[in-house]
Amino acid sequence: MSHYIAQPCIGVKDTACVAVCPVDCIHDLEDKSEFEGFDMLYIDPDECIDCGVCVDECPVMAIFPEEDLPDEWQSFIDINVRMTAAAAG
């Protein structure tokens, strides 16, 4: 399983979660021109070790384990997967 960043991060991008992540799986893709306009952070589910350390650090409560992601934000699973895969490839 992985954690995912959802809608509350859009426009905020507080990087407190990045600072505590032990495996550096949280990415800001702003520096990549092909991702311009996507104003949030993303978790790479292939890198995430499901430790949950990032959850309490997020000031807008935008990070959820997959099983706790609210129904209205289920699309953010695919968004995190697609964005981090495209950035890596």
Side-chain angles (χ1 to χ4, degrees):
M1 291 280 196
S2 179
H3 281 68
Y4 295 93
I5 298 177
Q7 189 277 331
C9 185
I10 295 174
V12 177
K13 290 191 342 186
D14 185 288
T15 58
C17 59
V18 176
V20 299
C21 180
V23 294
D24 297 324
C25 70
I26 303 171
H27 304 283
D28 176 359
L29 304 176
E30 185 175 305
D31 62 336
K32 300 190 182 295
S33 61
E34 65 267 30
F35 301 110
E36 191 171 315
F38 291 92
D39 196 25
M40 63 179 282
L41 300 172
Y42 305 91
I43 292 179
D44 185 331
D46 292 333
E47 296 175 1
C48 180
I49 60 171
D50 202 28
C51 68
V53 174
C54 57
V55 174
D56 290 335
E57 291 298 317
C58 181
V60 294
M61 301 186 315
I63 304 173
F64 301 86
E66 183 173 350
E67 62 271 11
D68 294 337
L69 190 64
D71 289 341
E72 66 268 23
W73 294 334
Q74 288 293 310
S75 64
F76 282 88
I77 292 173
D78 186 54
I79 291 168
N80 280 259
V81 170
R82 283 187 299 114
M83 295 301 284
T84 56

